[in-house]
């Protein structure tokens, strides 16, 4: 949430920073801003997408140092005044995170007059006040965590030193990097790949001092650290949209490849899956689509391994009594590895139970906190709505469940999977999308694992097309929600579980009898003719990996509906990809 990009070096800073911000725009896009140094500090900010800021700036400006920000509003509405950078006294800064005690701090900073409604401006005042006392910015930043509650990643320019950028972080991600042309601070790794594939991860309470050809990192005791330099192991191609109209479409079509990359190391015994049979119970903790992947994991683990498994939304789990002990495994699922609520849950439980992360971004905060980590090799996911990372999470959970069960016949299932994924991707789902594109409410129904898919389908549709869709357990409809079904209400019914098929079809008929138009998604072996649906989508069968096949038409329907409604598919309103605030 919020992207930070800062540069100091030999090249003109503005084009570099704007390009960096463009690759971070998925983290927030309701306003943006930049501060750059000429003979003084200049600030330009604007409401709305980054393109609005770009239109205001002369890219040729003679400046070689700047800090930039793309915002997802937390405190104060998304307008020009609340946009970053914020400047108070000697300090100009950009911030990603939330200052929880900003109201208390504000009361102590009476000598300042505040221009914005943000928590960030309070931080600028606090840092300025401390700086006026010591004139040692490193010392001030080292002290910050004692005074500030919440999370922050900061890029800072100090008036007295216009050749340097300073950074510090606690809770929010930040990397620093050096190329032949200068030094960088960014909220994620892909943002710097055009310049270098080498980067350093800042840990909490570490402070970075950047000049045009040097980076010095200090710990909170002000000792200089010799930090490890990492090399990015992906490709710069990951950032390109290739010939696809949207990243989301590209990422949907990448699924056969990335699922293969995720599963093969385990199928070839190059990597080991965890033994989960030794645990009495399993908790799976995640947010959004990762939570939906967790629900599929629960069904499979309970079915194949007979271990009681509970799936919890991280923002709830962090405030619950968790009833964990040494016989509990808690699995954390996260694409970004930075989701604040999920990260807080790891920190909360990690000393009292075993923890396993299923994470996409290597060395992300959650990956570093958990005891064991499995990486989903989904590659870089840029569209805000997740598709391929979700599928890789499901793929890993399916494999964990299967490996810990008794019967194993996995290779065939896997070979068929990749071929069948490609087949399902070739079908055209635009006719179905046309059928629902003008609706304002849609129901997704299913039972068991199909309910978990219904939840993901409903989320995908509402987040990118803004249609109000809901997912229901098919058998639960009659306990209230069926009152919303009327003539022409669209119901997307998912039936891939043989055991539950007849029951679900009865529930579908109940909606049909009340005028619903039903889009029926089922598998080849369960297919049957009938008058209980209006449109039918048939998916190949796959015992273990069924959900990976079933989700494809569901994702593509959401995509084409959003496209037909002219929505900003890769950057849906009010959202951000990496949710680093609580
Ligand atoms: C929906 C979506 C979100 C994320 C959720 C968790 O399309 O992408 O619901 O799944 O914010 O994010 P991660 O997996 O990064 O923890």
């Amino acid at each position: 949430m919020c992207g930070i990009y800062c540069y100091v070096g030999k090249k003109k800073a503005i084009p570099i920073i704007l390009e960096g911000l463009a690759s971070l725009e998925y983290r927030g896009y309701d306003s943006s801003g930049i501060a750059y140094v000429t003979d003084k500090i200049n600030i330009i900010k604007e409401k709305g997408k980054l393109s609005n800021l770009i239109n205001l700036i002369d890219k040729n400006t003679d400046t070689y140092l700047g800090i930039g920000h793309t915002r997802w509003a937390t405190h104060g509405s998304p307008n020009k005044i609340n946009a970053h950078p914020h400047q108070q006294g000697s300090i100009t800064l950009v911030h990603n995170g939330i200052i929880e005690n900003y109201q208390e701090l504000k009361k102590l900073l009476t000598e300042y007059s505040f221009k914005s409604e943000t928590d960030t401006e309070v931080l600028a005042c606090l840092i300025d006040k401390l700086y006026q006392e010591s004139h040692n910015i490193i010392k001030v930043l080292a002290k910050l965590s004692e005074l500030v509650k919440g999370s922050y990643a900061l890029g800072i320019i100090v008036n007295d030193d216009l050749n340097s950028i300073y950074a510090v972080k606690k809770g929010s991600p930040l990397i620093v990097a050096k190329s032949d042309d200068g030094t960088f601070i960014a909220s994620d790794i892909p943002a710097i790949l055009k310049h270098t594939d080498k980067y350093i991860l800042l840990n909490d309470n570490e402070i970075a001092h950047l000049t045009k050809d040097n980076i010095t990192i200090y710990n909170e005791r002000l000792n200089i650290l010799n930090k490890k330099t990492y090399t990015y192991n992906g490709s710069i191609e990951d950032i390109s949209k290739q010939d696809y109209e949207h990243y989301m479409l590209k990422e949907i079509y990448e699924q056969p490849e990335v699922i293969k990359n995720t599963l093969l190391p385990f199928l070839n015994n190059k990597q080991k899956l965890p033994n989960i049979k030794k645990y009495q119970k399993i908790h799976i903790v995640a947010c959004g689509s990762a939570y939906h992947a967790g629900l599929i994991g629960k069904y499979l683990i309970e079915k194949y391994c007979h271990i009681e498994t509970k799936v919890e939304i991280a923002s709830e789990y962090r405030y619950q009594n968790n009833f964990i002990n040494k016989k509990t495994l808690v699995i954390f699922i996260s694409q970004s590895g930075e989701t604040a609520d999920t990260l807080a849950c790891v920190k909360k439980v990690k000393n009292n139970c075993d923890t396993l992360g299923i994470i996409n971004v290597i060395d992300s905060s959650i990956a570093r906190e958990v005891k064991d980590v499995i990486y989903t090799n989904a590659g870089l996911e840029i569209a805000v709505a997740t598709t391929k990372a979700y599928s890789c999470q499901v793929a890993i959970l399916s494999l964990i469940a299967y490996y810990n069960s008794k019967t194993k016949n996995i290779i065939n299932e896997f070979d068929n999977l990749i071929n069948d994924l490609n087949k399902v991707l070739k079908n055209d789902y635009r006719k179905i999308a046309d059928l629902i594109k003008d609706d304002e409410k849609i129901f997704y129904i299913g039972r068991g694992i199909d309910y978990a898919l219904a939840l993901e389908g409903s989320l995908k549709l509402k987040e990118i097309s803004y249609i109000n869709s809901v997912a229901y357990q098919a058998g639960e409809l009659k306990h209230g929600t069926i009152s919303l079904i009327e003539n022409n209400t669209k119901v997307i019914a998912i039936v891939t579980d043989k055991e539950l098929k007849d029951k679900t079809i009865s529930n579908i008929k109940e909606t049909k009898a009340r005028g619903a138009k039903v889009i029926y998604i089922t598998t080849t072996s369960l297919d049957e003719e009938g008058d209980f649906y209006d449109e039918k989508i048939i998916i190949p069968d796959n015992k273990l990996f069924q959900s990976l096949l079933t989700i494809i038409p569901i994702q593509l329907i959401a995509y084409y509906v959003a496209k037909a409604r002219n929505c900003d598919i890769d950057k849906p309103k009010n959202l951000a990809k990496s949710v680093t605030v609580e």
Side-chain angles (χ1 to χ4, degrees):
M1 231 124 225
C2 297
I4 292 180
Y5 198 90
C6 311
Y7 168 74
V8 47
K10 295 181 209 152
K11 290 193 165 170
K12 289 199 171 165
I14 287 176
I16 291 178
I17 294 171
L18 291 178
E19 199 177 51
L21 288 179
S23 71
L24 292 173
E25 214 185 356
Y26 72 85
R27 301 177 71 89
Y29 32 84
D30 55 38
S31 57
S32 55
I34 184 167
Y36 59 90
V37 169
T38 50
D39 51 342
K40 60 179 180 33
I41 297 172
N42 311 268
I43 297 180
I44 303 184
K45 348 197 226 188
E46 192 49 280
K47 188 181 165 180
K49 297 239 164 89
L50 183 66
S51 50
N52 298 356
L53 180 74
I54 292 174
N55 290 337
L56 294 176
I57 300 190
D58 176 2
K59 287 196 183 151
N60 256 326
T61 310
D62 236 358
T63 174
Y64 302 87
L65 184 152
I67 59 177
H69 189 266
T70 173
R71 180 170 186 243
W72 187 87
T74 57
H75 296 66
S77 53
N79 59 34
K80 192 168 165 171
I81 296 174
N82 290 332
H84 302 207
H86 289 282
Q87 187 173 52
Q88 284 284 358
S90 295
I91 302 297
T92 307
L93 58 76
V94 287
H95 169 217
N96 166 28
I98 284 193
I99 308 306
E100 287 166 10
N101 59 339
Y102 81 106
Q103 300 277 29
E104 284 159 47
L105 292 171
K106 203 167 181 176
K107 284 187 200 136
L108 306 173
L109 295 161
T110 46
E111 63 271 50
Y112 291 91
S113 74
F114 291 87
K115 295 166 229 150
S116 75
E117 306 154 89
T118 64
D119 52 340
T120 302
E121 197 183 5
V122 176
L123 205 52
C125 297
L126 178 70
I127 295 173
D128 181 62
K129 185 175 169 133
L130 298 172
Y131 179 72
Q132 297 313 330
E133 289 162 13
S134 69
H135 281 271
N136 182 336
I137 188 70
I138 307 276
K139 215 164 134 185
V140 169
L141 297 180
K143 234 181 125 141
L144 215 54
S145 67
E146 291 168 25
L147 306 168
V148 174
K149 281 198 202 132
S151 59
Y152 49 82
L154 299 171
I156 305 167
I157 311 176
V158 184
N159 271 7
D160 305 336
D161 178 7
L162 295 183
N163 296 315
S164 297
I165 299 173
Y166 296 88
V168 64
K169 70 146 245 152
K170 188 184 139 207
S172 303
L174 208 59
I175 61 145
V176 290
K178 183 171 172 312
S179 76
D180 293 342
D181 297 318
T183 59
F184 305 79
I185 299 170
S187 297
D188 77 14
I189 302 155
I192 51 118
L193 288 181
K194 280 217 160 146
H195 307 280
T196 174
D197 61 354
K198 306 270 185 298
Y199 61 94
I200 296 169
L201 292 167
L202 271 198
N203 288 325
D204 280 357
N205 303 324
E206 288 177 353
I207 302 130
H209 174 200
L210 282 74
T211 59
K212 70 179 177 12
D213 37 35
N214 209 15
I215 299 173
T216 315
I217 298 174
Y218 301 84
N219 65 13
E220 57 202 308
R221 290 180 301 283
L222 306 186
N223 301 320
I224 293 183
L225 302 175
N226 192 4
K227 296 269 299 177
K228 176 175 170 190
T229 300
Y230 292 84
T231 304
Y232 180 70
N233 71 352
S235 140
I236 189 124
E237 276 301 297
D238 296 348
I239 309 175
S240 141
K241 227 188 283 175
Q242 292 162 2
D243 288 334
Y244 291 95
E245 193 176 342
H246 296 99
Y247 281 111
M248 183 177 175
L249 194 62
K250 175 187 171 229
E251 289 161 6
I252 290 174
Y253 277 91
E254 280 173 350
Q255 287 178 109
E257 187 64 25
V258 296
I259 289 171
K260 194 157 106 191
N261 293 344
T262 298
L263 294 179
L264 268 186
F266 299 100
L267 296 174
N268 293 341
N269 287 325
K270 294 221 165 84
Q271 269 176 260
K272 274 207 145 81
L273 284 160
N275 168 13
I276 60 168
K277 283 179 289 207
K278 61 181 181 189
Y279 298 103
Q280 260 163 11
K281 59 180 176 187
I282 294 175
H283 290 178
I284 300 179
V285 179
C287 302
S289 293
Y291 166 80
H292 298 155
L295 285 174
I296 292 184
K298 169 193 160 74
Y299 284 112
L300 296 175
I301 291 169
E302 290 189 339
K303 178 173 172 181
Y304 287 107
C305 317
H306 302 272
I307 306 171
E308 184 189 338
T309 304
K310 175 171 111 160
V311 194
E312 288 287 331
I313 298 270
S315 54
E316 296 292 320
Y317 193 77
R318 76 186 278 191
Y319 299 110
Q320 283 169 359
N321 191 342
N322 303 128
F323 302 108
I324 47 169
N325 57 42
K326 295 285 173 205
K327 290 253 166 215
T328 315
L329 172 67
V330 186
I331 302 177
F332 296 92
I333 308 176
S334 176
Q335 186 285 126
S336 62
E338 301 296 346
T339 301
D341 284 314
T342 312
L343 178 60
C345 292
V346 185
K347 290 183 176 160
K348 182 182 175 198
V349 303
K350 70 180 212 183
N351 294 328
N352 300 317
C353 64
D354 282 352
T355 54
L356 167 70
I358 299 178
I359 311 291
N360 195 41
V361 177
I362 294 175
D363 288 322
S364 51
S365 302
I366 299 174
R368 284 183 281 156
E369 286 287 338
V370 285
K371 179 167 172 259
D372 294 305
V373 63
I374 294 179
Y375 286 113
T376 49
N377 282 322
L380 192 61
E381 192 178 60
I382 292 178
V384 165
T386 182
T387 51
K388 62 173 182 169
Y390 160 86
S391 289
C392 290
Q393 293 159 355
V394 172
I396 283 291
L397 288 161
S398 311
L399 209 55
I400 292 178
Y402 199 73
Y403 261 71
N404 284 279
S405 73
K406 302 249 155 33
T407 44
K408 293 192 184 77
N409 188 12
I410 192 87
I411 301 298
N412 278 349
E413 294 262 309
F414 174 71
D415 286 349
N416 295 343
L417 171 69
I418 303 302
N419 290 339
D420 288 342
L421 281 167
N422 282 314
K423 267 193 226 153
V424 180
L425 280 166
K426 281 202 186 103
N427 294 340
D428 192 348
Y429 303 100
R430 274 175 280 199
K431 187 175 142 220
I432 310 271
D434 274 349
L435 205 68
I436 59 181
K437 70 177 191 331
D438 298 318
D439 286 291
E440 287 313 322
K441 66 172 185 217
I442 309 262
F443 290 84
Y444 286 77
I445 61 169
R447 284 171 180 249
I449 209 164
D450 293 329
Y451 170 60
L453 289 164
L455 282 167
E456 177 58 7
S458 167
L459 177 62
K460 225 61 326 160
L461 186 78
K462 67 186 146 218
E463 70 182 320
I464 61 169
S465 76
Y466 317 136
I467 295 179
N468 190 357
S469 67
V470 283
Y472 262 89
Q473 295 97 334
E476 179 67 9
L477 274 177
K478 56 186 171 293
H479 296 287
T481 312
I482 201 160
S483 64
L484 291 171
I485 305 281
E486 54 196 359
N487 212 19
N488 207 25
T489 303
K490 305 298 178 329
V491 173
I492 299 186
I494 308 164
V495 182
T496 68
D497 184 334
K498 193 172 164 206
E499 313 283 301
L500 298 169
K501 177 188 155 198
D502 292 339
K503 304 275 174 214
T504 313
I505 289 180
S506 299
N507 302 135
I508 299 172
K509 286 181 179 165
E510 288 155 13
T511 68
K512 194 84 190 102
R514 285 154 183 88
K517 266 211 157 57
V518 175
I519 295 137
Y520 179 52
I521 304 181
T522 192
T523 70
T524 315
S525 69
L526 299 186
D527 180 26
E528 69 176 60
E529 292 305 317
D531 57 1
F532 59 91
Y533 58 82
D534 298 273
E535 295 290 335
K536 184 163 64 176
I537 296 173
I538 301 171
I539 320 281
D541 288 271
N542 190 305
K543 217 162 132 197
L544 180 61
F545 298 113
Q546 186 63 59
S547 304
L548 296 176
L549 293 163
T550 316
I551 199 66
I552 300 271
I554 294 173
Q555 292 169 340
L556 282 168
I557 290 169
Y559 172 82
Y560 284 116
V561 170
K563 188 165 143 63
R565 289 165 71 99
N566 260 330
C567 297
D568 191 346
I569 293 179
D570 286 336
K571 294 193 196 105
K573 67 176 182 224
N574 301 340
L575 295 178
K577 187 149 187 76
S578 184
V579 185
T580 53
V581 294
E582 186 174 347

